Amino acid sequence: NALENSTSFCDEADTDARPSLTKPPPSPPSSGNKSFFAKMWDKYSLKEQHKRSILGEKLFRSAQYRANDLTWYREARIPYEFRTRHAILTMHIWFLHKRLLADRVDPHAALLVQEELFDILWNDSQSRIRAEGVNELTVNKHLKDVQQLTFKHCTHYDHAFHEYGDNPKRRFEELALAVWMHVLNRDEESYDDQLKRLAAYVEYQYANIVMGVPDSYFWEGRIPWGNIPDFSGMKDNDGNDLEEVDYSVLSSEELPKPWMKMLTFAGEAYYWNTETDETTWKRPL
């Protein structure tokens, strides 16, 4: 049972080989020591606000595109529900959030971009809440619930890396617990194999985004996420092979690349071509 013993998440993982993830390598500082007036210019000038808005949007759409990949809900067997989909998006927003906190190119601008990123997340959350068909009078209440879940999710990852940065095995256990609680919603029928693969992805992606992506890529909003984990050959908690994935599931959500489903503020669906920037109300075939 996935709840009985958290150490079982790590038994087959090479945790001793993992380095400490608490101290990213140094990078040359450029504009970290800004004057008060330079910081005010960053925050209030129309030019810098526009640049910040564009970068925040690029970062958010990158996380959203990754989180919308149907692999999470087919091969990974994560339920396709509002809360779980938001949790996968939150996971990827958290990676970007940690990179912004660790930035040494322009720490002040990075903090402002972080604010922008979360503002976009809350606006997007409102759109998704409306798309669920809830009464408009309850949207703000639902948004507060979503924000609370988001902060709890993010702080659990923070706790795992802060408290157990030099203890790879314990860190991995805590990440698996975070995934079970916040992504799988404490599902007692979840699989240890599934949890281990998801926890390993969090650990890999943290190192990739916070310490691996070049500054020039990041500040252009180009995020090389790498591959989604291989969820093939997963076993249940008795060691038996899981049933084959039914690829007809969620076929109605499948879109040809590079199209992406978007929502208006009112929660109405439209479609965006991420390469040409074309938008249309009509679903692409």
Side-chain angles (χ1 to χ4, degrees):
N1 186 298
L3 305 181
E4 290 177 354
N5 186 356
S6 60
T7 59
S8 66
F9 302 147
C10 306
D11 290 343
E12 298 173 14
D14 186 14
T15 53
D16 291 335
R18 295 192 181 97
S20 168
L21 299 179
T22 56
K23 298 177 182 177
S27 60
S30 65
S31 54
N33 298 320
K34 288 188 172 182
S35 69
F36 171 80
F37 294 105
K39 289 180 179 180
M40 291 301 100
W41 173 261
D42 279 351
K43 188 167 185 177
Y44 295 111
S45 76
L46 292 178
K47 177 182 177 181
E48 293 304 314
Q49 286 179 19
H50 181 65
K51 285 170 56 179
R52 187 163 67 245
S53 175
I54 291 175
L55 178 56
E57 190 75 23
K58 284 183 176 180
L59 292 175
F60 179 80
R61 296 306 171 197
S62 176
Q64 185 183 48
Y65 190 82
R66 179 68 160 194
N68 284 351
D69 194 302
L70 293 180
T71 301
W72 302 112
Y73 312 103
R74 285 174 171 167
E75 289 90 334
R77 292 170 167 83
I78 297 172
Y80 191 76
E81 302 166 353
F82 180 94
R83 184 165 173 174
T84 51
R85 286 184 288 129
H86 183 80
I88 292 295
L89 176 59
T90 295
M91 177 192 293
H92 291 87
I93 293 293
W94 180 80
F95 297 133
L96 301 175
H97 153 73
K98 296 305 287 186
R99 173 57 185 259
L100 288 163
L101 287 182
D103 184 78
R104 285 179 296 281
V105 172
D106 193 337
H108 181 256
L111 290 177
L112 295 176
V113 172
Q114 179 187 229
E115 292 177 7
E116 185 74 26
L117 180 63
F118 276 95
D119 283 344
I120 295 170
L121 174 61
W122 305 141
N123 287 334
D124 179 76
S125 299
Q126 280 187 310
S127 297
R128 286 183 285 112
I129 289 168
R130 289 189 171 99
E132 293 291 312
V134 304
N135 188 302
E136 182 64 28
L137 295 176
T138 68
V139 168
N140 286 339
K141 175 186 179 300
H142 287 298
L143 178 61
K144 289 179 180 178
D145 292 340
V146 167
Q147 290 173 325
Q148 185 177 36
L149 289 171
T150 302
F151 289 132
K152 285 181 178 179
H153 190 171
C154 291
T155 54
H156 202 156
Y157 291 144
D158 288 341
H159 172 74
F161 283 97
H162 178 74
E163 292 296 322
Y164 307 112
D166 294 318
N167 187 337
K169 183 174 181 178
R170 187 67 187 91
R171 181 177 64 240
F172 192 78
E173 293 170 0
E174 196 65 30
L175 288 174
L177 179 62
V179 167
W180 176 71
M181 290 178 63
H182 304 287
V183 178
L184 299 178
N185 296 326
R186 303 172 184 263
D187 182 4
E188 295 189 22
E189 296 183 0
S190 58
Y191 310 114
D192 288 357
D193 194 358
Q194 177 190 37
L195 288 170
K196 283 190 287 188
R197 296 186 197 206
L198 289 168
Y201 175 77
V202 174
E203 193 158 61
Y204 156 76
Q205 205 61 266
Y206 174 86
N208 175 44
I209 301 301
V210 177
M211 294 174 268
V213 177
D215 293 328
S216 58
Y217 275 53
F218 189 82
W219 282 93
E220 292 176 2
R222 295 187 292 155
I223 307 299
W225 293 104
N227 295 327
I228 288 180
D230 179 9
F231 293 101
S232 63
M234 280 205 299
K235 309 284 186 182
D236 65 20
N237 293 337
D238 295 320
N240 301 313
D241 291 334
L242 298 179
E243 293 181 4
E244 291 293 320
V245 174
D246 181 1
Y247 286 95
S248 66
V249 174
L250 300 177
S251 57
S252 62
E253 297 294 328
E254 215 155 12
L255 290 171
K257 291 183 178 181
W259 288 94
M260 186 172 172
K261 182 179 178 180
M262 307 292 287
L263 295 172
T264 66
F265 188 68
E268 298 172 329
Y270 67 98
Y271 303 91
W272 170 48
N273 187 309
T274 60
E275 291 183 358
T276 66
D277 223 22
E278 177 188 356
T279 58
T280 178
W281 293 106
K282 186 176 180 181
R283 182 184 179 84
L285 301 176

